[in-house]
Amino acid sequence: MGSHYSLKYVAQARAPGQQRLRAEVEAILAEVDAQMSTYRSDSLISRFNALPAGSCQAMPAPVLELVRVGETLARDSDGAFDLTIEPLLDLWGFGPQSRSERVPSAEEIAQVRANVGHQHLRIDGQQLCKDAAVQVDFNSIAAGYTVDRVARRLDELGLRSYLLDITGELKVRGRKPDGSPWRIAIEAPRDDRQVAQLTLALEGYGVSTSGDYRNYFEVGGQRYSHTIDPHTGAPVTHPLAAVTVVARSALRADGLSTLLMVLGTERGLAFAEEKGIAALFVSRDGSGFRSRASSAFRRLLPAAEAGAL
């Protein structure tokens, strides 16, 4: 998947050994990569992306599942979330087919946007079809899906306590050997160094963070992040620097963190409150940052920390 993974777990008598666990995890990673990676031309989704408008291609159940998840997120957010923005990412220098980081013209953006839009996708039985030359990019939800998929397999293999991290998307189950909970540090959105903003003690949750502080470029003092607003075809311009979502499903947390990052703090916080989403928003405020949390997120924190948000 072009990134890293780690699994920390409490060994148990009936669970497989480390070699077996590694093989089980990496088999799932290899399957997801072969199906959904946009960084390899032979993946199923890359082959679909190369097809012209009016084409259909048979797809396995996981690919169709993620298309349906994307459709739900797109519908719920009035199009703020969109799986078909890969050509825009490429145009701005952030996608797998990027050539350079640059600010494209309005004409270039308009031309590319003609082939962007989740409404151009449809599922017909076991086939994925397109009525425009759209390209699907699962990077906003594939890691969360993979975390959930690996976690289910770990449960089947008898693990009862673990901390799983795939490309930065997390899931925790059980407790450490001393009975204390797994603790997840939420990183402050700094460009210069890694700093923990707060720490969550969690059990049975997935955690996802999206932000503009790792993948961006600057031109003329203006920051352009990899978070693209499908409505404008350009990087978001609001001051939201990062958003963290906690949910039982890592897939849901992954998709929602991207969705909320597009919406920005005000619209995103309203969306989170309406949907009961546990989300932490960190926005740039002058030379520093300001944090705001949804009601559901504050309930996950000790009273002292919750009161400060």
Side-chain angles (χ1 to χ4, degrees), residues 21-33 149:
L21 286 174
R22 184 190 300 274
E24 293 277 355
V25 172
E26 294 186 358
I28 294 173
L29 294 177
E31 179 186 310
V32 172
D33 198 54
R149 174 93 176 270

Side-chain angles (χ1 to χ4, degrees), residues 108-256:
E108 289 175 304
I109 293 173
Q111 182 178 9
V112 169
R113 285 188 67 204
N115 288 319
V116 170
H118 208 284
Q119 71 276 11
H120 298 304
L121 288 174
R122 63 182 174 86
I123 295 173
D124 183 2
Q126 299 304 307
Q127 294 189 108
L128 182 60
C129 304
K130 54 169 120 175
D131 60 27
V134 293
Q135 299 178 43
V136 177
D137 186 338
F138 287 126
N139 286 333
S140 55
I141 52 176
Y145 160 80
T146 309
V147 167
D148 284 343
R149 174 93 176 270
V150 170
R152 285 195 299 269
R153 185 59 182 147
L154 296 177
D155 294 344
E156 292 169 355
L157 292 170
L159 287 191
R160 295 294 176 262
S161 182
Y162 54 79
L163 169 58
L164 175 63
D165 174 351
I166 300 177
T167 77
E169 312 301 322
L170 308 173
K171 195 155 199 178
V172 292
R173 176 183 168 111
R175 289 176 171 255
K176 294 188 284 187
D178 62 2
S180 63
W182 297 100
R183 301 182 66 83
I184 306 299
I186 306 300
E187 185 180 7
R190 297 179 62 105
D191 302 329
D192 54 346
R193 57 194 173 95
Q194 290 184 303
V195 179
Q197 179 182 4
L198 57 82
T199 303
L200 296 174
L202 298 173
E203 183 175 350
Y205 283 96
V207 183
S208 176
T209 297
S210 293
D212 72 351
Y213 55 100
R214 286 281 182 262
N215 194 3
Y216 70 94
F217 66 91
E218 293 185 355
V219 174
Q222 173 69 45
R223 173 191 290 257
Y224 297 94
S225 83
H226 74 290
T227 302
I228 303 291
D229 184 341
H231 293 126
T232 64
V236 296
T237 57
H238 52 64
L240 181 60
V243 59
T244 295
V245 174
V246 180
R248 292 293 181 182
S249 163
L251 168 57
R252 178 169 170 78
D254 195 5
L256 287 173

Side-chain angles (χ1 to χ4, degrees), residues 2 5 12 33 42-44 77 107 125 145 176 178 188 207 210 214 230 240-241 264 277 281-282 285 304 308:
Y5 83 91
Q12 287 154 303
D33 198 54
D42 63 340
S43 73
L44 292 180
S77 65
E107 291 76 14
Y145 160 80
K176 294 188 284 187
D178 62 2
V207 183
S210 293
R214 286 281 182 262
L240 181 60
I277 299 166
F281 300 81
V282 184
D285 186 8

Side-chain angles (χ1 to χ4, degrees), residues 96-114:
Q97 306 303 320
S98 302
R99 296 295 177 264
S100 63
E101 295 174 340
R102 65 183 184 87
V103 179
S105 68
E107 291 76 14
E108 289 175 304
I109 293 173
Q111 182 178 9
V112 169
R113 285 188 67 204

